[in-house]
Amino acid sequence: MILIDGKKIAAELREELRKEVVELKVKHNKIPGLTVVLIGDMAPSQIYVRMKEKAANEVGLKSEVIRYPGTVEEKTVLDKIDELNKDESISGILVQLPLPKHIDKQKVIETILPGKDVDGFHPMNVGNLSSGYESSVPCTPLGCYLMIKKIEPNLSGKKAVMIGRSNLNGKPMAQLLLKENCTVTITHSKTKDLKAECLEADIIVAAVGIPELVKADWVKKDAIVIDVGINKTEKGIVGDVAFDEVSKVARALTPVPGGVGPMTIACLLKNTIECFKRSKN
Ligand code: NAD
């Protein structure tokens, strides 16, 4: 079984991006800039933002975090996004989710210029992705996609099963694999026989939030299994896949932690650089 080492693949990607930033600086006399807006003091968001800032600095991006208390008015945030949209030194804007209840998430997402939307959540980017046009792609599925391609460069005709249909994971992941000519099934909480669907799959991407949902007898021999889940349990952080047993049947599997997580952050940097390059064309 191939253990898909997300930490290692992400480190390689960051190194490629670091070199690209140097080249872009020579070519344009400017470096791509990422601005993260963080609202409130939720511990996980604080940790994610710190990790993103560290990774951005490591590859040489200009990075900045704008912090607001959880009580900030929605208008203040929207006005700030407008200001960032107009600032040419900023290539990418990310508003860390989740947001406090009084702030309309969709309004925030739609206020970010599509060309600076490094999360790929703006309806224009969602539409472009599903139409097969160039777009920002949500960081987590993009990271999963790059890992799958490392294992299997030719995905044409493969049967892929997404577990979960969120806008963040399942749906964009399905679009990426569809573009690679996979036959894609999206399953969800109302799917009648999830095990039977999974048993058909050459590729399984589990993004559910249920600890160790996917068992060994759900997985076809030699399937590639990508575990997006992050679940806090008594035995620590586990994914949506029962790692020990599935590792005995799968061809390749991501660990949790150390699989999808590091790739998500590296892909945010990649998206920032892509936004910069598109703005120059
Ligand atoms: P979500 O809650 O938005 O969506 C979960 C999906 O799972 C839904 O579509 C739901 O229909 C489906 N589902 C629920 N129960 C099911 C069942 N019994 N069978 C089949 N499908 C079922 O979650 P999300 O935001 O997509 O996140 C999913 C998981 O991925 C969470 O554990 C989250 O923490 C993790 N996550 C990890 C990363 C990362 O970088 N590693 C990034 C984002 C999310």
Side-chain angles (χ1 to χ4, degrees), residues 48 139-141 144 162-171 186-191 194 206-211 213 218 227-232 238-240 256 259-265:
Y48 289 140
C139 305
T140 303
C144 295
M162 312 299 102
I163 317 181
R165 59 175 158 189
S166 71
N167 291 339
L168 183 65
N169 290 306
K171 285 185 201 158
I186 305 179
T187 67
H188 46 78
S189 57
K190 303 287 186 285
T191 294
L194 186 59
V208 193
I210 300 181
L213 173 74
W218 292 28
D227 190 351
V228 180
I230 302 175
N231 306 293
K232 263 192 191 161
V238 302
D240 292 343
V256 176
V260 174
M263 282 302 283
T264 296
I265 294 184

